[in-house]
């Protein structure tokens, strides 16, 4: 399969194909009306599903609070936290959560991979972040949304001779992957596949990140969020995948109340729940540093205190002393954190400053293990396959973040680093130079940019990209579903009996990013990343650990 920028791949295997329908090319409108009728019919079915757990704290009916006594084994305790932002930040938080769970001897509740920026924290340096309760409940809602959300159908239409391709999806959204000319009615002239999709969007962090080394070494215990929710909330999550709202009002209300409880809106509940109210405005977590209770070096300045009416000071707190077995939190079955993200800022960590534990060799070993957590083998093998069988030559990887946040204002600097690297390669090596491009800028918008100039100069540069519709992506998604890594994580004491009855996740979250990062780790001619991008940092870490060798 050729995946250069001049090729547009055909249908993927993740759709269950129905018999092909052929229409006379002189009757495009008939095909068009047929598609719209079917699309509207199926889309109308999706409207029956209730909106996700709309929250009104003032109007919610009081339900008796209780602690589930059927989660895990006797004395097993759990740690839950609220991931947020993009995947790289979520992975960083996941590593911190693993560390915290090990220090506190708790089973870590493994979250899903949240949609990119579905939940945002705010700014720690500006002391402007979401309250931990609110952050937890936003994450809870989005996690349940991922379980419930189903892509209902897809109709693929193409005109092979013109290399055109149009995809209609459940949201009645038209996705075009076209050669650079205007869209025409020809897209409606030939129905290539008529396919229905059925599945949840939920994909666990453990389905993407390989935790086998931690599990085999018993470094920390894990439980999938879906398994925990089923037991803790006393619900059958299969009901989440139904479309008949008349049967689910009690189910949804139960999930809402459970989410409110776990988020801390009802405060701490006896030995059931301890919902930490500490966040990066007030606390820097440490471990065995002998600075418990000391003021942190970074504090809000006078201007910020006056502007934001800030009266608190940031303190350094030993996580074991504050939340360990001898504390009030240590008695609770579930310890709920808010954000566990941290970053260096003005000589201090924004929230977690645990980089070594010389007096605790178990934790010291874990810190070293989690510095790099690879993707699961299905993703790594797919990235290597693309490098070997599609690019087929030594290549440079360019990770160009151009549209998101601060990066949209720095095109010149981003392209400059790539140009300098390519100029050196032109002087040293044979032509054409193979380049894998990883970017959020759609190919149709390359015209007029440095990427567009490279694509035109095909004698000197041969560019490659990976797209969501490429068959290799679909094949990898299917393998991830069949592997079911997260559902194999539960500790021996967990007594959940319905693991295999959860919704079949045939429509996975976007795995394109993880495959692209793997391909970039295989770039033998070097790597050029966007300055300040956490994605670039992840790729550099993969390359440092020789993931492609």
């Amino acid at each position: 399969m050729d995946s250069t920028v001049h090729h547009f791949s055909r249908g993927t295997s993740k759709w269950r194909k129905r018999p092909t329908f052929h229409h006379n090319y002189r009757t495009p409108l008939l095909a068009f009306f047929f598609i719209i009728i079917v699309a509207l019919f199926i889309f109308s079915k999706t409207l029956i599903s209730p909106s996700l757990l709309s929250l009104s704290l003032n109007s919610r009916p009081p339900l008796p609070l209780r602690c589930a006594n059927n989660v895990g084994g006797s004395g097993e305790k759990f740690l839950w936290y609220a991931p947020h932002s993009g995947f790289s930040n979520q992975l960083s938080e996941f590593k911190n959560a693993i560390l915290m769970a090990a220090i506190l001897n708790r089973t870590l509740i493994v979250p899903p991979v949240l949609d990119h920026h579905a939940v945002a924290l705010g700014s720690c340096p500006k002391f402007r972040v979401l309250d931990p309760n609110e952050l937890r409940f936003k994450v809870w809602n989005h996690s349940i949304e991922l379980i419930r959300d189903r892509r209902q159908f897809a109709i693929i239409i193409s005109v092979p001779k013109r290399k055109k391709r149009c995809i209609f999806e459940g949201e009645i959204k038209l996705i075009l992957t076209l050669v650079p000319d205007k869209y025409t009615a020809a897209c409606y002239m030939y129905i290539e596949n008529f396919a229905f999709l059925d599945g949840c969007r939920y994909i666990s962090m453990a389905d993407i990140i390989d935790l086998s080394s931690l599990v085999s070494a018993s470094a920390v215990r894990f439980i999938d969020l879906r398994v925990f929710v089923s037991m803790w909330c006393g619900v059958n999550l299969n009901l989440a995948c139904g479309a008949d709202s008349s049967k689910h009002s009690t189910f949804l209300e139960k999930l809402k109340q459970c989410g409110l409880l776990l988020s801390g809106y009802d405060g701490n509940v006896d030995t059931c729940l301890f919902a930490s109210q500490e966040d990066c405005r007030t606390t820097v977590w440490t471990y065995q540093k002998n600075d418990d209770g000391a003021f942190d070096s970074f504090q809000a300045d006078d201007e910020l205190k006056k502007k934001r009416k800030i009266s608190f000071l940031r303190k350094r707190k030993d996580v074991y002393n504050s939340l360990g077995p001898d504390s009030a939190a240590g008695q609770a079955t579930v310890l709920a954190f808010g954000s566990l993200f941290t970053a260096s800022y003005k000589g201090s960590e924004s929230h977690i400053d645990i980089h070594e534990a010389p007096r605790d060799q178990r934790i010291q070993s874990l810190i070293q293990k989690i510095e790099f957590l690879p993707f699961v083998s299905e993703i790594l093998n797919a990235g290597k396959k693309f490098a070997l069988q599609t690019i087929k030559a030594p290549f440079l990887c360019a990770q160009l973040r151009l549209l998101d946040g601060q990066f949209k204002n720095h095109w010149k600097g981003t392209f400059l680093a790539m140009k300098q690297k390519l100029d050196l390669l032109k002087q040293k090596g044979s032509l054409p130079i193979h380049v894998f491009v990883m970017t959020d800028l759609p190919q149709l918008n390359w015209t007029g940019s440095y990427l567009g100039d490279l694509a035109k100069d095909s004698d000197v540069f041969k560019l490659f990209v990976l797209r969501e519709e490429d068959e290799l992506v679909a094949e990898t998604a299917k393998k991830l579903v069949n592997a079911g890594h997260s559902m194999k994580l539960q500790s021996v004491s967990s007594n959940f009996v319905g693991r295999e009855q959860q919704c079949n996740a045939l429509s996975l979250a976007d795995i394109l990013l993880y495959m692209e990062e793997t391909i970039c780790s295989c770039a033998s001619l070097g790597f050029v990343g966007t300055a300040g991008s956490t994605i670039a940092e992840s790729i550099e870490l993969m390359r440092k650990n020789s993931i492609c060798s």
Side-chain angles (χ1 to χ4, degrees):
M1 178 185 67
D2 183 7
S3 291
T4 67
V5 295
H6 302 293
H7 174 76
F8 300 89
S9 62
R10 295 180 60 82
T12 61
S13 61
K14 64 180 174 180
W15 292 298
R16 300 196 296 272
K17 295 184 178 181
R18 299 291 179 93
T20 299
F21 297 90
H22 296 274
H23 289 258
N24 192 306
Y25 275 57
R26 291 173 295 180
T27 60
L29 290 179
L30 181 61
F32 172 75
F33 288 128
F34 170 75
I35 294 162
I36 294 301
I37 290 171
V38 174
L40 289 176
F41 172 76
I42 300 174
F43 183 59
S44 67
K45 297 291 186 181
T46 67
L47 297 179
I48 298 175
S49 299
S51 59
L52 172 68
L53 302 177
S54 57
L55 170 62
S56 174
L57 290 173
N58 296 325
S59 63
R60 63 188 180 95
L63 290 181
L65 297 176
R66 67 176 183 84
C67 238
N69 57 9
N70 61 335
V71 183
S74 175
E76 187 168 11
K77 291 181 169 59
F78 301 88
L79 186 151
W80 183 53
Y81 72 105
H84 52 81
S85 307
F87 175 76
S88 296
N89 284 356
Q90 291 177 49
L91 177 55
S92 174
E93 281 191 274
F94 185 55
K95 292 178 181 180
N96 288 333
I98 291 173
L99 181 59
M100 292 296 208
I103 291 173
L104 299 173
N105 193 25
R106 288 179 174 271
T107 299
L108 177 60
I109 301 171
V110 181
V113 177
L114 275 58
D115 290 342
H116 187 69
H117 290 313
V119 179
L121 172 66
S123 172
C124 285
K126 295 180 181 179
F127 289 76
R128 185 176 65 242
V129 297
L130 284 180
D131 172 84
N133 290 355
E134 184 179 359
L135 181 66
R136 282 189 285 259
F137 196 60
K138 282 180 176 290
V139 170
W140 172 269
N141 271 356
H142 185 64
S143 299
I144 301 302
E145 177 186 3
L146 291 174
I147 294 174
R148 294 184 63 236
D149 194 11
R150 299 161 72 89
R151 296 177 63 191
Q152 295 292 331
F153 68 97
I155 304 173
I156 306 172
I157 306 161
S158 69
V159 184
K161 291 183 179 180
R162 299 194 60 181
K163 295 184 180 179
K164 285 185 177 289
R165 176 178 177 79
C166 314
I167 303 176
F168 291 83
E169 298 201 29
E171 300 87 357
I172 312 294
K173 187 162 52 176
L174 185 62
I175 300 177
L176 302 178
T177 306
L178 306 174
V179 290
D181 64 350
K182 292 183 178 180
Y183 170 73
T184 71
C187 284
Y188 302 112
M189 292 180 181
Y190 182 88
I191 299 182
E192 181 186 61
N193 293 322
F194 191 109
F196 286 88
L197 302 178
D198 188 19
C200 307
R201 284 195 297 137
Y202 192 107
I203 183 169
S204 168
M205 182 64 77
D207 290 322
I208 300 300
I209 301 301
D210 185 359
L211 302 177
S212 58
S213 63
L214 300 181
V215 173
S216 61
S218 300
V220 67
R221 301 181 303 276
F222 298 96
I223 185 171
D224 186 90
L225 176 67
R226 291 163 292 185
V227 178
F228 177 82
V229 169
S230 294
M231 294 185 290
W232 180 267
C233 303
V235 297
N236 177 3
L237 285 183
N238 287 321
L239 295 176
C241 291
D244 187 355
S245 61
S246 64
K247 297 180 181 179
H248 302 324
S249 58
T250 302
F251 166 76
L252 292 175
E253 185 60 34
K254 200 168 187 178
L255 277 179
K256 180 196 295 185
Q257 296 299 320
C258 188
L260 288 168
L261 172 65
L262 283 171
S263 298
Y265 277 107
D266 293 294
N268 299 329
V269 185
D270 300 325
T271 59
C272 170
L273 170 78
F274 187 92
S276 173
Q277 300 303 317
E278 309 286 353
D279 59 33
C280 59
R281 297 171 296 183
T282 62
T283 305
V284 178
W285 292 116
T286 65
Y287 181 57
Q288 297 183 341
K289 277 204 166 186
N290 299 321
D291 58 357
D292 194 9
F295 291 120
D296 187 63
S297 61
F298 176 69
Q299 305 286 344
D301 57 33
D302 292 339
E303 181 180 351
L304 189 59
K305 287 180 181 179
K306 183 177 180 180
K307 181 179 180 180
R308 304 276 307 158
K309 297 181 180 179
I310 294 173
S311 58
F312 46 77
L313 295 171
R314 276 165 48 96
K315 288 188 176 181
R316 300 174 68 81
K317 295 183 180 180
D318 188 288
V319 65
Y320 188 83
N321 293 344
S322 299
L323 305 173
D326 295 331
S327 67
Q331 306 305 310
T333 302
V334 176
L335 168 61
F337 280 101
S339 167
L340 286 178
F341 179 75
T342 191
S344 298
Y345 186 77
K346 291 190 175 181
S348 178
E349 288 283 355
S350 61
H351 194 36
I352 299 172
D353 189 6
I354 306 175
H355 301 287
E356 58 182 1
R359 288 182 284 146
D360 188 335
Q361 286 306 306
R362 181 178 69 92
I363 299 302
Q364 182 65 36
S365 175
L366 180 64
I367 290 172
Q368 295 169 356
K369 282 179 179 292
I370 65 175
E371 179 185 5
F372 173 66
L373 292 175
F375 291 129
V376 294
S377 60
E378 290 80 5
I379 293 173
L380 295 180
N381 292 338
K384 295 175 185 178
K385 181 178 179 180
F386 186 92
L388 292 173
Q389 299 183 14
T390 301
I391 302 179
K392 300 177 184 178
F395 66 96
L396 171 77
C397 173
Q399 180 262 335
L400 308 171
R401 196 167 175 181
L402 301 169
L403 300 181
D404 186 28
Q406 59 172 323
F407 303 104
K408 62 179 177 289
N409 300 318
H410 300 284
W411 282 35
K412 184 176 180 181
T414 301
F415 284 138
L416 179 60
M418 182 181 180
K419 183 178 185 304
Q420 290 173 342
K421 183 67 174 181
L422 289 176
D423 287 343
L424 287 175
L425 290 175
K426 279 195 297 183
Q427 296 173 14
K428 294 180 179 179
S430 59
L431 302 179
I433 299 170
H434 291 63
V435 183
F436 177 73
V437 180
M438 176 182 178
T439 183
D440 54 358
L441 182 68
Q443 285 178 233
L444 293 177
N445 296 336
W446 285 12
T447 304
S449 72
Y450 180 59
L451 282 176
D453 295 339
L454 293 178
K456 290 179 184 177
D457 196 357
S458 57
D459 292 334
V460 179
F461 304 104
K462 189 173 183 180
L463 307 187
F464 295 82
V465 296
L466 184 66
R467 294 173 297 270
E468 289 183 27
E469 64 268 24
D470 285 345
E471 188 170 354
L472 181 61
V473 179
E475 288 176 353
T476 306
K478 185 176 181 180
K479 289 178 181 178
L480 283 174
V481 171
N482 293 334
H485 294 293
S486 190
M487 284 303 180
K488 300 173 183 176
L489 281 177
Q490 320 327 316
S491 57
V492 175
S493 58
S494 295
N495 57 0
F496 182 64
V497 295
R499 295 175 196 167
E500 301 304 325
Q501 299 176 1
Q502 301 299 315
C503 308
N504 293 321
L506 295 180
S507 176
L508 289 179
D510 182 14
I511 65 167
L512 184 65
L513 170 66
Y514 324 132
M515 293 175 64
E516 288 178 321
E517 289 189 12
T518 303
I519 295 168
C520 283
S521 72
C522 297
S524 57
L525 294 184
F527 169 67
V528 178
T530 303
S533 169
T534 52
I535 296 173
E537 294 173 2
S538 297
I539 294 171
E540 292 283 15
L541 187 58
M542 292 177 71
R543 293 176 63 83
K544 176 183 175 182
N545 284 271
S546 305
I547 202 65
C548 205
S549 60

